[in-house]
């Protein structure tokens, strides 16, 4: 068992890099608050999700929205979401059939949507976000998967 | 032989897909054909081409290095079952009864034969693993003080990773997916994905470790040197073995229902499994430097130009493969990075990443190794030897273009596994919504890359099939082929039982927590739906 000196130095560099990266990720998640979806999750019968969750857009406080979305082969309901001067948007999502993936193109919003589970994700809307964004399904869900898209429209008063 | 047929089949559909996704290229597919083809492309290339080639390579290395035969009953039944299971699943994919992609996420319905085929294939691979382990442990019992040769150690790592990874997959297929297909039984998707991705990540190390074995053994041999550090090579295999399984949650960072701390634990372990790749990068470059200096290369960089670039197709191909893998290693670290994953999850970035790893690093290594193996195994010399160098060159350039453009278009949010024409041909989207217009030039560039490496692949298959059937006969026994460096005395790494135990302990730590979470919350099963019609599947 011989280990060259150069290799020991290299292994040290790699270890240091790993520690720094991991610390940065943990800082972003638990201090800045860019957290991944968690374990505290509501279960729902997929066949009754439509009645129980009542899809739609609600402004709970000025600039603070709660959006409930249902994925169904092959569309989002509702498929057009208008937000006026949004600051923070909480999405609650589930599927009434198979697995879907919810993504707003060009943003951090990206979450798996399962039948039987209500996924939650909070989007802190960047102040310069404006105009029409595409919201798509990014997990294959059958032959009409490519037709499953809608729009998120952000209107700014100033 | 079977693996080359799979490469042909899968490659053909890959070629069609990359064109379909790019505007202005010939549109050859409907959505149904696109998704059927994508199912076949993933299964044939990621699972079958790799697995069958690895089986062939493993037998070659173990029988030559340990100078013993494998148990013939186990080996034959393994091959028969593996081929049989493949054919069963392939029939249903081609017949359009299993349009579920290679991940077959429930509750997307596929016919029972597809799942039975998968199960038979799995059993075949287990018998194969048993045959290899039987031989290695028998040799070990007779040679207590001796070190396991490096090549065999690589094979041992590969087989153990597979055996760690597959039992939960068998559970998901046999106890969840198959009842769904047979009786319409509902399936809890979170439980299913937990066990599928438990398998899904070690799967990629099952592809990679044999390629790394080639880099550590055959590459130095081709250049006439020994690997720079045998110890660090073994350390790398050891880390791959223990850390490649307990990391699957990094495919589920954006799944609801799993605690962030467990996801973070898997992030830490994923970083741990990046360490052997960093060690390998150092070791291989040091080996290449040694070979370059032995050829008279001087100065800081002179050793690089002294290497036989463009002259030796095996050296050139393997080194190109390593470069592609290195690039993908960086995007792999991004994928593993917990919250950063939001930016790339299920986008074309991931497609770029794994084409550079399994399509670049692994496949190009196997192609280049074939230049040596085909003459040895079939007793025929390669036809068109001068053309061989074009294969890795086209493959490398094509993969590089494809991989980089798909990484970039993923940053712009283009989804993976999606028939894209409805997005790209709709002016409401290209003109009306952010980012969609930016996808187009990158997808076109990706198609250029895809066509380039498809040409390389076609040339490889043409020459290889011509060689197997009509190459000039040569007498090569292969019996005297030397693969590993000379073994020394046994070390810590050769305590195989202990190594396996460490791997198991890590798996239990990493998976008991999310498993307890999922099961104690209670499952929430969902009934199946037909992927072609979108209609619920009623039990017949």
């Amino acid at each position: 068992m011989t280990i060259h000196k150069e290799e020991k130095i290299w292994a040290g560099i790699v270890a240091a890099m790993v520690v720094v990266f991991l610390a940065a990720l943990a800082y972003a998640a638990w201090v800045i608050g860019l957290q991944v979806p968690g374990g505290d999750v509501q279960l729902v019968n997929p066949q009754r999700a439509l009645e129980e969750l009542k899809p739609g857009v609600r402004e709970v406080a000025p600039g603070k929205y709660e959006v409930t979305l249902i994925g169904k082969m092959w569309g989002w309901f509702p498929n057009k979401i208008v937000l006026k001067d949004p600051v923070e948007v909480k999405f609650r999502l589930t599927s009434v059939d198979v697995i879907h993936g919810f993504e707003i193109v060009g943003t951090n919003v990206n979450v798996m949507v399962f039948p039987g589970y209500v996924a939650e994700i909070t989007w802190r809307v960047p102040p310069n976000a404006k105009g029409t964004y595409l919201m798509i399904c990014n997990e294959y869900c059958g032959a009409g998967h490519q037709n499953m898209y809608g729009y998120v429209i952000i209107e700014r008063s100033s | 032989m079977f693996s080359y047929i799979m490469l042909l089949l899968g490659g053909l559909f890959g070629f069609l897909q990359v064109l379909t996704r790019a505007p202005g290229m010939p549109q050859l597919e409907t959505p149904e054909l696109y998704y059927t083809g994508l199912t076949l492309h993933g299964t044939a290339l990621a699972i079958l081409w790799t697995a069958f080639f690895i089986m062939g390579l493993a037998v070659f290395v173990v029988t030559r290095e340990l100078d013993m035969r494998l148990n013939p009953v186990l080996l034959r039944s393994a091959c028969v079952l593996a081929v049989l299971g493949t054919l069963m699943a392939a029939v249903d994919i081609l017949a359009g009864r299993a349009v579920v992609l290679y991940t077959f996420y429930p509750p997307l319905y596929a016919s029972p034969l597809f799942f039975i085929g998968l199960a038979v294939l799995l059993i075949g691979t287990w018998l194969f693993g048993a045959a290899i382990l039987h031989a290695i442990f028998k040799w070990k019992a007779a040679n207590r003080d001796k070190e396991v040769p490096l090549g065999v150690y690589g094979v041992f790592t590969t087989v153990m990773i597979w055996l760690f990874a597959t039992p939960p997959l068998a559970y998901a297929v046999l106890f969840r997916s198959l009842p769904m297909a047979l009786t319409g039984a509902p399936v809890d998707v979170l439980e299913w994905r937990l066990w599928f991705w438990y398998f899904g990540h070690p799967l990629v190390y099952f592809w990679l470790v044999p390629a790394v074995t080639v880099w550590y053994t055959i590459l130095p041999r081709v250049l006439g040197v020994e690997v720079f550090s045998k110890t660090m090579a073994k350390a790398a295999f050891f880390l791959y073995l223990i850390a490649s399984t307990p990391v699957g949650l990094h495919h589920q960072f954006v799944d609801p229902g799993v605690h962030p701390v467990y996801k973070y634990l898997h992030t830490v372990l994923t970083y741990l499994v990046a360490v052997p790749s960093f060690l390998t990068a150092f070791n291989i470059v040091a080996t290449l430097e040694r070979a370059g200096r032995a050829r008279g290369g001087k100065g800081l960089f002179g050793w690089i130009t002294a290497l036989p670039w463009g002259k030796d197709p095996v050296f050139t191909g393997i080194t190109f493969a390593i470069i592609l893998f290195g690039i993908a290693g960086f995007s792999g670290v991004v994928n593993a990075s917990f919250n950063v994953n939001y930016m790339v999850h299920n986008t074309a970035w991931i497609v770029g990443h794994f084409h550079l790893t399994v399509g670049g690093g692994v496949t190009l290594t196997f192609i280049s190794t074939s230049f040596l193996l085909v003459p040895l195994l079939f007793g025929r010399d390669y036809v068109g030897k001068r053309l061989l160098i074009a294969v890795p060159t086209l493959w490398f350039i094509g993969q590089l273009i494809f991989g980089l453009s798909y990484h970039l278009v993923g940053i712009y949010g283009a989804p993976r596994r999606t028939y894209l024409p409805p997005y790209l041909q709709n002016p409401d989207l290209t003109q009306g919504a952010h980012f969609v217009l930016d996808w187009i030039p990158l997808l076109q560039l990706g198609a250029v890359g895809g066509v380039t490496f498809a040409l390389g692949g076609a040339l490889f298959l043409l020459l290889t099939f011509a060689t197997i059937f009509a190459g000039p006969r040569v007498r090569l026994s292969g019996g005297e082929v030397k693969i590993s460096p000379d073994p020394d005395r046994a070390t810590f790494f050769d305590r195989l039982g202990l190594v396996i135990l460490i791997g198991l302990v890590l798996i239990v730590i990493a998976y008991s927590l999310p498993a307890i979470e999922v099961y104690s919350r209670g499952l929430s099963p969902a009934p199946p739906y037909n992927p072609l019609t979108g209609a619920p599947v009623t039990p017949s």
Side-chain angles (χ1 to χ4, degrees):
Chain A
M1 286 247 277
T2 40
I3 300 175
H4 303 82
K5 196 180 97 211
E6 298 91 330
E7 285 180 318
K8 286 183 186 160
I9 296 170
W10 175 246
I13 294 171
V14 171
M17 215 157 58
V18 164
V19 170
V20 170
F21 285 5
L22 284 171
L25 295 175
Y27 182 80
W30 279 281
V31 180
I32 299 178
L34 183 62
Q35 187 54 277
V36 297
D40 193 13
V41 68
Q42 182 192 338
L43 303 185
V44 63
N45 180 332
Q47 267 115 22
R48 284 205 298 275
L50 215 53
E51 302 94 84
E52 280 185 24
L53 280 151
K54 300 187 182 57
V57 182
R58 276 174 284 275
E59 189 168 11
V60 290
K64 229 178 147 175
Y65 286 88
E66 193 175 295
V67 177
T68 306
L69 273 169
I70 301 271
K72 184 180 186 310
M73 295 159 96
W74 291 287
W76 294 110
F77 301 96
N79 70 355
K80 191 172 171 185
I81 295 164
V82 181
L83 305 168
K84 289 200 178 86
D85 297 317
V87 178
E88 197 176 280
V89 186
K90 181 168 155 192
F91 289 96
R92 304 184 75 234
L93 306 114
T94 193
S95 160
V96 296
D97 40 47
V98 299
I99 298 178
H100 300 287
F102 182 71
E103 175 189 333
I104 302 178
V105 172
T107 72
N108 273 341
V109 179
N110 192 339
V111 64
M112 298 303 293
V113 180
F114 294 164
Y117 291 81
V118 181
E120 283 193 5
I121 188 172
T122 301
W123 182 32
R124 279 193 239 156
V125 186
N128 59 352
K130 192 179 171 183
T132 305
Y133 288 80
L134 190 60
M135 61 180 197
I136 60 173
C137 175
N138 70 9
E139 183 55 81
Y140 170 71
C141 59
H145 166 52
Q146 66 282 353
N147 302 322
M148 190 163 168
Y149 59 81
Y151 304 94
V152 177
I153 297 159
I154 297 182
E155 295 175 352
R156 297 284 177 192
S157 50
S158 56
Chain B
M1 182 73 205
F2 202 66
S3 69
Y4 295 132
I5 296 173
M6 287 299 139
L7 184 62
L8 175 67
L9 200 63
L12 189 67
F13 278 98
F15 178 72
L16 293 179
Q17 280 141 24
V18 77
L19 290 181
T20 303
R21 284 177 67 105
M25 300 284 172
Q27 302 290 305
L28 304 170
E29 297 183 304
T30 61
E32 287 77 12
L33 184 61
Y34 175 83
Y35 293 122
T36 303
L38 190 55
T39 306
L40 202 71
H41 176 75
T43 317
L45 293 181
I47 312 274
L48 300 170
W49 142 253
T50 48
F52 282 104
F53 188 90
I54 290 165
M55 286 162 80
L57 183 69
V59 174
F60 179 83
V61 171
V62 171
T63 51
R64 300 269 178 321
E65 296 249 285
L66 302 183
D67 195 21
M68 60 198 294
R69 297 205 155 273
L70 300 177
N71 183 316
V73 181
L74 276 179
L75 193 60
R76 291 231 169 84
S77 31
C79 292
V80 169
L81 287 178
V83 172
L84 184 73
T86 302
L87 292 177
M88 288 161 80
V91 165
D92 269 33
I93 294 174
L94 285 169
R97 288 193 294 264
V99 191
V100 288
L101 307 193
Y102 97 97
T103 45
F104 51 96
Y105 291 140
L108 280 175
Y109 173 84
S111 74
L113 191 65
F114 174 76
F115 296 114
I116 296 171
L118 286 178
V120 172
L121 172 65
L122 272 181
I123 295 167
T125 61
W126 289 346
L127 295 182
F128 180 82
I132 296 280
L133 286 188
H134 174 71
I136 292 174
F137 277 100
K138 205 164 121 191
W139 179 88
K140 189 73 201 146
N143 300 276
R144 288 241 161 264
D145 303 334
K146 260 205 219 160
E147 175 194 35
V148 179
L150 188 58
V152 177
Y153 201 76
V155 172
F156 170 74
T157 305
T158 308
V159 169
M160 269 326 297
I161 288 175
W162 186 256
L163 294 178
F164 278 156
T166 42
L169 176 71
Y171 163 78
V173 169
L174 284 175
F175 293 93
R176 295 295 184 218
S177 293
L178 187 59
M180 176 191 80
L182 287 171
T183 68
V187 180
D188 181 278
V189 296
L190 184 59
E191 183 216 18
W192 195 93
R193 277 170 64 90
L194 187 68
W195 298 128
F196 180 85
W197 284 116
Y198 169 102
F199 152 81
H201 205 74
L203 170 68
V204 312
Y205 284 92
F206 168 75
W207 307 327
L208 176 65
V209 170
V212 174
T213 307
V214 169
W215 304 347
Y216 278 142
T217 55
I218 292 174
L219 177 64
R221 286 274 166 256
V222 169
L223 294 171
V225 292
E226 294 276 2
V227 65
F228 175 70
S229 168
K230 197 171 60 172
T231 307
M232 282 315 236
K234 280 213 157 173
F237 283 135
F238 167 73
L239 286 173
Y240 280 132
L241 198 157
I242 63 163
S244 65
T245 307
V247 296
L249 283 184
H250 74 224
H251 293 255
Q252 297 177 271
F253 283 146
V254 302
D255 279 17
V258 181
H259 198 281
V261 169
Y262 307 156
K263 291 175 178 172
Y264 189 75
L265 173 64
H266 282 230
T267 305
V268 173
L269 288 164
T270 310
Y271 272 73
L272 179 64
V273 80
V275 170
S277 294
F278 277 112
L279 298 180
T280 300
F282 187 91
N283 208 346
I284 297 293
V285 173
T287 306
L288 291 179
E289 179 176 350
R290 185 183 270 182
R293 298 215 184 278
R295 282 175 172 66
K298 299 256 183 301
L300 204 52
F301 296 110
W303 58 272
I304 300 177
T305 45
L307 291 166
W309 299 101
K311 295 190 190 93
D312 182 338
V314 181
F315 158 76
T316 309
I318 294 178
T319 312
F320 280 170
I322 294 168
I323 295 170
L324 292 176
F325 182 77
I327 296 168
F330 290 106
S331 63
V333 172
V334 172
N335 302 343
S337 293
F338 200 52
N339 32 24
V340 180
N341 178 262
Y342 273 130
M343 276 307 288
V344 297
H345 178 77
N346 270 352
T347 68
W349 166 283
I350 305 296
V351 182
H353 166 73
F354 64 68
H355 276 80
L356 288 183
T357 53
V358 66
V362 173
T363 297
L364 189 51
T365 298
F366 290 173
I367 284 176
S368 311
T369 311
S370 301
F371 299 156
L372 292 176
L373 279 183
V374 168
L376 283 174
L377 296 179
F378 294 92
R380 290 178 188 266
D381 208 9
Y382 250 96
V383 295
K385 270 192 178 162
R386 284 193 186 163
L387 291 174
L388 281 185
I389 192 69
V391 173
T393 310
L394 287 169
W395 195 272
F396 176 69
I397 294 169
Q399 282 280 0
L400 205 58
I401 296 172
F402 176 87
L404 295 180
S405 52
Y406 267 59
H407 271 99
L408 276 176
V409 78
I411 295 283
Y412 288 118
R416 66 185 285 198
R417 27 175 65 176
T418 304
Y419 176 78
L420 281 179
Y423 289 91
L424 306 173
Q425 291 163 4
N426 182 347
D428 285 351
L429 303 187
T430 51
Q431 307 299 329
H434 294 308
F435 297 104
V436 182
L437 200 59
D438 300 326
W439 297 352
I440 292 175
L442 289 167
L443 290 168
Q444 284 167 330
L445 197 61
V448 171
V451 171
T452 309
F453 75 82
L455 281 176
L459 180 65
F460 167 70
L461 288 169
L462 186 73
L463 294 176
T464 301
F465 282 121
T467 302
I468 291 172
F469 291 112
R473 288 193 181 278
V474 282
R475 283 193 163 274
L476 289 167
S477 74
E480 66 284 350
V481 172
K482 195 166 178 301
I483 302 168
S484 299
D486 289 327
D488 298 317
R489 295 181 59 78
T491 64
F492 163 76
F493 299 122
D494 300 294
R495 299 175 66 180
L496 303 180
L498 180 65
V499 169
I500 293 173
L501 187 68
I502 297 173
L504 284 175
V505 168
L506 272 184
I507 291 172
V508 170
I509 292 172
Y511 266 96
S512 56
L513 298 167
I516 291 168
E517 182 183 35
V518 168
Y519 287 113
S520 65
R521 180 192 298 124
L523 299 182
S524 184
Y529 284 80
N530 184 315
L532 294 178
T533 62
V537 177
T538 40
S540 48

